[in-house]
Amino acid sequence: MSVISNLVVKLTTDTSGFQKGFGKADKVASKWSKAHKVATAGAAAGLGAFAIVAKKSMDTYNDFGKTIVQASRMTNSSTEDISMLVGQWKRYGIEGSKGVTALKFLNKNIDAARQGNKLAIDSFARLGISMEDLQNKSTAQILMQTRDALAQTTDTAARTALTLKFLGRSGTEMLAWVVKTPEEIAAVNKKLKELGLVWGDKEIKTYKDMAAAQKEMGLVMFAFQLKVAQSLVPALTKLLDIGQKLWTRLLPFAPMLKWVALGFVGLLVAGKVATAFNAL
């Protein structure tokens, strides 16, 4: 075989090998591209899921901290005691706002009794809560004393009526917590401590700092939105002025618009009819 023949054979062989190699590389690249797309989609889904979980977590944190702060103001009790109280409500599916409303109503009843309201005094006495208790104990202590007495009431109708009497309209939701025995509440408190859900001064300060930062941020965003709006006002005013002039000029032609609309509808109908005939 001549040198040229050998060269042709070699080039043909090398070209064939190159094509095969290129084909393999293309397949690998294609597989990598698909894997990359899957990984990208997975990462996007993961980030989306994380964002949802993060928002839900912050909402839960805000609700828990806000309820503790509000309840503390009304009971003059320690953060630890109130966080356990709010934790009990959470355990039995009671919203923090419902618990706070119940505390407000109980405070009214306590104040009425302290002011000498006989009906209020007799109502507390029915549960074994004396005037001395009302004068010397905190709202949180009286609440737990009221709850324990109601839990021991065997007449369910009477218990419901008394719960509504002491805790107001939120009493209906609070019944899930009211009916639990002191032993069950003690078990919940133990679990709350194990889970780290009993807050102290450090945790409540962290929450208050964050809440204050959120309010400051809200004020900054409010100012930013007003600035943006103020910058747009001149342009919008001119645009509205032009629009007003345009519509004023078009006003004399308004009666004719119905004929334009009817003509447009007629064209559409004619088109539909023509299409139907063509289909036959």
Side-chain angles (χ1 to χ4, degrees), residues 7-24:
L7 182 60
V8 169
V9 171
K10 191 173 188 315
L11 284 172
T12 303
T13 303
D14 289 346
T15 301
S16 176
F18 174 76
Q19 288 175 338
K20 289 179 180 179
F22 184 79
K24 289 180 180 179

Side-chain angles (χ1 to χ4, degrees), residues 6-252:
N6 286 334
L7 182 60
V8 169
V9 171
K10 191 173 188 315
L11 284 172
T12 303
T13 303
D14 289 346
T15 301
S16 176
F18 174 76
Q19 288 175 338
K20 289 179 180 179
F22 184 79
K24 289 180 180 179
D26 184 58
K27 289 180 180 179
V28 171
S30 178
K31 289 181 179 179
W32 183 88
S33 178
K34 290 179 180 177
H36 180 262
K37 289 179 180 178
V38 171
T40 302
L47 287 172
F50 175 77
I52 293 172
V53 172
K55 183 182 183 306
K56 178 65 177 175
S57 299
M58 287 306 301
D59 289 343
T60 300
Y61 177 77
N62 277 326
D63 180 66
F64 190 61
K66 180 180 178 181
T67 305
I68 291 173
V69 170
Q70 290 178 335
S72 296
R73 290 171 181 166
M74 290 185 290
T75 59
N76 193 29
S77 300
S78 68
T79 301
E80 289 84 353
D81 288 343
I82 294 302
S83 63
M84 280 195 288
L85 177 62
V86 176
Q88 293 166 22
W89 295 343
K90 292 292 182 185
R91 166 62 182 81
Y92 296 112
I94 300 168
E95 294 180 11
S97 59
K98 297 293 184 181
V100 170
T101 300
L103 277 176
K104 289 178 181 178
F105 205 86
L106 180 65
N107 263 336
K108 289 182 179 179
N109 282 315
I110 293 172
D111 183 64
R114 286 172 177 171
Q115 297 302 319
N117 185 295
K118 189 175 186 305
L119 183 61
I121 294 171
D122 291 343
S123 295
F124 280 110
R126 184 176 175 182
L127 297 180
I129 300 173
S130 66
M131 192 63 188
E132 184 179 355
D133 292 330
L134 295 170
Q135 293 288 2
N136 299 320
K137 292 183 177 181
S138 68
T139 299
Q141 290 174 318
I142 295 172
L143 174 66
M144 293 308 297
Q145 195 174 349
T146 301
R147 197 215 67 80
D148 291 346
L150 289 171
Q152 295 170 11
T153 303
T154 56
D155 186 338
T156 56
R159 180 171 58 200
T160 300
L162 286 169
T163 300
L164 292 172
K165 184 179 184 64
F166 284 106
L167 304 180
R169 289 179 296 177
S170 296
T172 303
E173 289 80 7
M174 301 298 289
L175 276 170
W177 169 71
V178 166
V179 298
K180 302 302 175 183
T181 65
E183 292 74 23
E184 288 175 311
I185 294 299
V188 171
N189 287 341
K190 181 180 177 183
K191 190 69 175 179
L192 292 172
K193 291 177 181 178
E194 291 174 356
L195 294 172
L197 293 174
V198 179
W199 283 16
D201 293 338
K202 179 181 177 182
E203 288 80 7
I204 202 66
K205 183 180 183 304
T206 300
Y207 164 75
K208 287 181 177 180
D209 289 344
M210 188 213 63
Q214 284 183 325
K215 290 179 181 178
E216 290 294 328
M217 186 60 187
L219 184 61
V220 171
M221 287 303 298
F222 175 71
F224 175 78
Q225 290 166 355
L226 284 184
K227 289 294 182 182
V228 171
Q230 288 170 349
S231 67
L232 292 174
V233 165
L236 287 174
T237 301
K238 289 182 180 179
L239 185 62
L240 290 171
D241 185 54
I242 293 171
Q244 181 183 355
K245 290 177 180 177
L246 176 62
W247 285 110
T248 301
R249 291 181 180 180
L250 290 175
L251 193 60

